[in-house]
Amino acid sequence: MTSVVFVHGTGVREDSYRTSYERVARGLKRTRPDVRLVPCYWGDTCGAHLELGGVSFPSRDQDRGSPGAGEADPLALWALLERNPLAEIELIEDAAGEDEQGGYVPGRVDRWDALADRVRGLAEPGPTAGGDSPGPLVEDIGPQLAAAAEEIAAELSLRLTGKEYGQDAESVAARALVALAVRLTERAQDAEEPLPVDGADRDALVEVLTDRLGGTDRGIVADSGKWLAARLLADPLLWAASPVVQTGRRRATGWLLPETGDILRYQARGALLRARIAEAVALARAADGGPVVLLAHSLGGIASFDLLAMEPAHGVDLLVTVGSQAPFLYEIDALTGLRRGDELPGTFPRWINVYDRRDLLGFVGGKLFPGRVDDVRVHLRQPFPRAHTAYFAHRGLYERLNAELP
């Protein structure tokens, strides 16, 4: 009898594995009722766990000056401005009513247009607060300030002419100018990582620019706390900047730990998982001596590949990887079992690699291992990340297995 050893991927724990195992069992029963399904659950013994209760986390921030519930957080605002320097300007555009100046009056200049003209004059930022010489940030972004000032000025006139003019308008323009100048600098330098910016230096520069624009208020746009919270919740990358997440870091990391932690632990302690897979294969082989197939998802596929590349004498007749990153790791020379450029050993079993083009964690190996792997594309009709977990609910997978299993 053919035995199929089912190896799960990262982040899976016992209840989830049991559900997946039963789903695979039903799928195989429909097409190959003669096959024995053998479990290989490794989440408890080989997965990542905070065994010491999270003592590696910094203690919760007790700063009385930190924003409370419902308050706008300056650092969260900067996280948003780094993604979109026009964010506060767009907020005013959406929320502000018509200015009380009234209709058109010959010779009168709209206050936003006047501010735009002053912004254009900020190509040379001058000294930072508390000193006569520019700070490091000014030295970095200085060449891009003129272009940034022109763009911000144009946006102020285009979006806000005729709108209500609040006391924080100058600080809004200053923050937008700094955020855009940083972005333009990174683009000009073709930077591979974000420009290093000291928060105190940034805030000092905003203060200088606000003063030069004629402003006195340096706070966040009024009533922006709820707006910021909504934007943070809508964007996972911005959500990480939320003070709620920062103070609840242990809980947030606990949510992410199984997936990311399992991967990191495998890189350092992969022998544990490979030994678990080898044990399951040996038990399947000992049952009746029939063919053994490894059916492995995601990280389970990486570990199975490594095992068979490093220790091929396990009697596996067919390796089926599903949504696997093994080809990608081979290409960047990050596999444990095989260095980039090395060929698969002659004893490596027949290999079928199942992927869906919508699964951003599924890769192909045909060009890396010519003649040694059969890349099989399935159409799960699911967006990512659900596409990465939907393989074993797809009938087409079992139809293909029916044709391939020994």
Side-chain angles (χ1 to χ4, degrees), residues 92-151:
I92 296 173
E93 179 185 22
D94 293 340
E98 294 300 318
D99 200 317
E100 296 178 355
Q101 294 180 96
Y104 171 74
V105 176
R108 187 182 70 191
V109 178
D110 183 273
R111 284 180 286 188
W112 286 108
D113 289 331
L115 176 59
D117 289 338
R118 296 196 298 275
V119 169
R120 289 188 179 93
L122 295 179
E124 297 295 334
T128 56
D132 296 327
S133 60
L137 178 58
V138 173
E139 295 174 358
D140 286 331
I141 69 175
Q144 300 300 326
L145 276 173
E150 183 61 38
E151 184 172 339

Side-chain angles (χ1 to χ4, degrees), residues 212-224:
R212 292 189 59 191
L213 290 172
T216 58
D217 186 272
R218 295 167 181 79
I220 299 175
V221 173
D223 300 324
S224 63

Side-chain angles (χ1 to χ4, degrees), residues 205-231:
L205 177 57
V206 169
E207 182 176 347
V208 167
L209 296 176
T210 301
D211 285 339
R212 292 189 59 191
L213 290 172
T216 58
D217 186 272
R218 295 167 181 79
I220 299 175
V221 173
D223 300 324
S224 63
K226 293 182 179 178
W227 169 76
L228 268 176
R231 296 297 296 270

Side-chain angles (χ1 to χ4, degrees), residues 253-328:
T253 302
W255 296 336
L256 301 173
L257 177 65
E259 289 81 3
T260 57
D262 286 359
I263 296 169
L264 294 173
R265 191 162 194 251
Y266 178 73
Q267 294 298 322
R269 304 286 185 268
L272 296 173
L273 176 49
R274 293 191 295 274
R276 175 69 188 94
I277 298 172
E279 177 186 12
V281 168
L283 290 173
R285 174 65 67 182
D288 61 9
V292 174
V293 176
L294 267 178
L295 175 61
H297 180 237
S298 194
L299 179 59
I302 295 173
S304 297
F305 179 97
D306 283 338
L307 173 68
L308 298 175
M310 297 168 67
E311 307 172 36
H314 288 285
V316 173
D317 298 276
L318 173 65
L319 170 64
V320 181
T321 53
V322 179
S324 177
Q325 305 84 49
F328 172 72

